[in-house]
Amino acid sequence: MTMDETGLAVLIGTAAGTVAKPFLAFIQQESFLYWPYLATALVVALLAGLWAGRQSGKPFGEYLKDLFSPSIWWHRSARVDYRFYVVNGIVFPLIFTPMIVTGFYVAQGTQWALSSLFGASPVSAELGLWALVIYSVVFFVAYDLGRWVGHSVQHQIPFLWEFHKVHHSAEVLTPITSFRAHPVDLLIMATVAGQFTGLVSGGALFLFERDIGLLTVLNLHFLVFFYNLVSNLRHSHVWLSYGRLGYIFISPAQHQIHHSDNPKHFGMNRGFGLAVWDWMFGTLYVPRQREELSFGTADGTEKDYCGVWQLYWLPVRRAFATLARRPAPGTEREAARVTTPAE
């Protein structure tokens, strides 16, 4: 095989792998749809149904009918999610991944800056387990804060809200709704989180003069792994509240509230895993009891996002309309959704 033939074979193989990846998520450890996460979420959902039935007297059979109702899983909004998941899963890696300023470059720059300022590393002791644990926890905290910041700016800046609005246009929630995100939204979230984790990694490189790695489970950060065990319930109709622990961790119920079209919920619970950032900045909403929720943009424009093309193109047109200070068709009612936290 010639060099040209080898290059072509590699290109075809890479393209085929990219196209196949969305369909093989259940065997990919980095995906929310990895089969252990789906299985755990199902078990937790069934246990939540048993508990709710004991509290309310609702037969478990009715809970199962609601859980697997075609009115949710085959809702027109869910069908858009399924199509968008496949197309976005192919388009995003091909177009936007090379554009992401990864944490690697930030880490290298941070290490260089610290070395220039302070000289040699002040740490001379051998690296122990506690240093690994502390670094892994600090890395997760930085990642979580980066996600909160990236998420928050999209709620606060009208231009960026038009892209994030794609995610909030879902009228029903299923695990596939996690992937209902405009590429610009994904780019912002990945880039901002990468900057924060890069600073932490750069500090660790300076202190220990080598990459110390992270504590992992199945090749995934150990805290992200445990988070992923229930993360699929965030985008579902299964009410799972952590009670008073909701002041520390964002529960699936709190994220469902984030998707609510009730004005009192607008902009609340922006956190990824930790609730502390929402608590610090006044955007935390911890429910005292189960709340009946409906989902969408609250201004009727969720109906506009009725296909894959609309999810890609409408945000672009409407975002640039905000810069021109003239509303695009259908955006006059959207101002209420870009708000500061409800009192």
Side-chain angles (χ1 to χ4, degrees):
M1 183 178 289
T2 66
M3 289 292 290
D4 288 344
E5 291 173 334
T6 301
L8 180 60
V10 170
L11 180 62
I12 293 174
T14 301
T18 300
V19 172
K21 189 172 183 178
F23 301 98
L24 301 175
F26 63 94
I27 61 172
Q28 297 166 10
Q29 295 175 358
E30 72 276 12
S31 173
F32 286 148
L33 302 181
Y34 185 42
W35 72 264
Y37 303 148
L38 293 174
T40 303
L42 177 60
V43 170
V44 173
L46 295 177
L47 292 175
L50 288 171
W51 174 257
R54 290 184 60 183
Q55 299 297 110
S56 66
K58 180 179 181 178
F60 186 63
E62 289 187 21
Y63 174 80
L64 289 179
K65 288 181 180 179
D66 292 340
L67 182 62
F68 298 107
S69 172
S71 65
I72 295 174
W73 294 91
W74 204 239
H75 189 281
R76 69 168 179 272
S77 176
R79 296 200 301 270
V80 172
D81 283 352
Y82 304 148
R83 297 196 298 271
F84 192 64
Y85 163 74
V86 173
V87 176
N88 218 24
I90 297 170
V91 170
F92 182 72
L94 291 176
I95 298 178
F96 288 94
T97 298
M99 296 172 58
I100 296 175
V101 181
T102 64
F104 171 80
Y105 297 105
V106 178
Q108 295 296 315
T110 301
Q111 180 190 27
W112 175 85
L114 291 173
S115 298
S116 299
L117 288 172
F118 303 109
S121 168
V123 177
S124 58
E126 287 293 322
L127 181 65
L129 176 61
W130 279 111
L132 182 61
V133 171
I134 292 171
Y135 169 60
S136 297
V137 171
V138 173
F139 184 95
F140 177 80
V141 171
Y143 174 70
D144 197 82
L145 176 58
R147 297 269 300 184
W148 187 90
V149 171
H151 192 181
S152 288
V153 297
Q154 294 188 83
H155 274 270
Q156 295 300 128
I157 299 175
F159 179 84
L160 297 181
W161 163 248
E162 294 299 337
F163 297 103
H164 185 58
K165 190 177 181 181
V166 166
H167 188 60
H168 282 274
S169 67
E171 298 174 73
V172 296
L173 302 182
T174 75
I176 302 298
T177 308
S178 297
F179 302 90
R180 186 188 183 111
H182 194 278
V184 172
D185 182 347
L186 295 173
L187 182 64
I188 292 170
M189 296 294 285
T191 301
V192 176
Q195 311 312 300
F196 279 78
T197 56
L199 291 172
V200 172
S201 296
L205 285 170
F206 166 69
L207 289 174
F208 302 107
E209 298 183 330
R210 65 185 178 92
D211 185 359
I212 65 175
L214 296 164
L215 285 179
T216 61
V217 177
L218 296 179
N219 296 319
L220 194 66
H221 188 292
F222 79 105
L223 290 175
V224 174
F225 171 82
F226 289 115
Y227 166 84
N228 282 357
L229 291 176
V230 295
S231 65
N232 282 302
L233 296 180
R234 289 160 55 90
H235 295 102
S236 77
H237 292 249
V238 176
W239 183 267
L240 179 62
S241 173
Y242 295 161
R244 296 188 66 82
L245 284 177
Y247 289 94
I248 303 174
F249 305 107
I250 296 290
S251 71
Q254 284 169 268
H255 190 72
Q256 291 158 21
I257 285 171
H258 178 72
H259 277 267
S260 168
D261 60 9
N262 188 325
K264 73 177 182 179
H265 297 147
F266 290 173
M268 309 305 283
N269 299 339
R270 304 173 186 180
F272 171 67
L274 301 175
V276 62
W277 319 119
D278 283 305
W279 174 75
M280 289 173 61
F281 294 99
T283 55
L284 183 63
Y285 184 102
V286 180
R288 296 182 180 179
Q289 58 188 2
R290 176 163 190 160
E291 299 187 22
E292 294 301 321
L293 304 173
S294 57
F295 308 112
T297 58
D299 54 21
T301 58
E302 62 269 3
K303 308 293 193 241
D304 299 339
Y305 300 84
C306 56
V308 172
W309 173 248
Q310 286 83 358
L311 265 62
Y312 277 117
W313 171 242
L314 278 181
V316 176
R317 182 165 62 90
R318 292 178 171 177
F320 281 95
T322 66
L323 297 182
R325 296 184 179 276
R326 52 183 178 80
T331 59
E332 294 86 351
R333 298 162 293 173
E334 297 176 17
R337 197 63 167 95
V338 187
T339 63
T340 54
E343 294 296 331

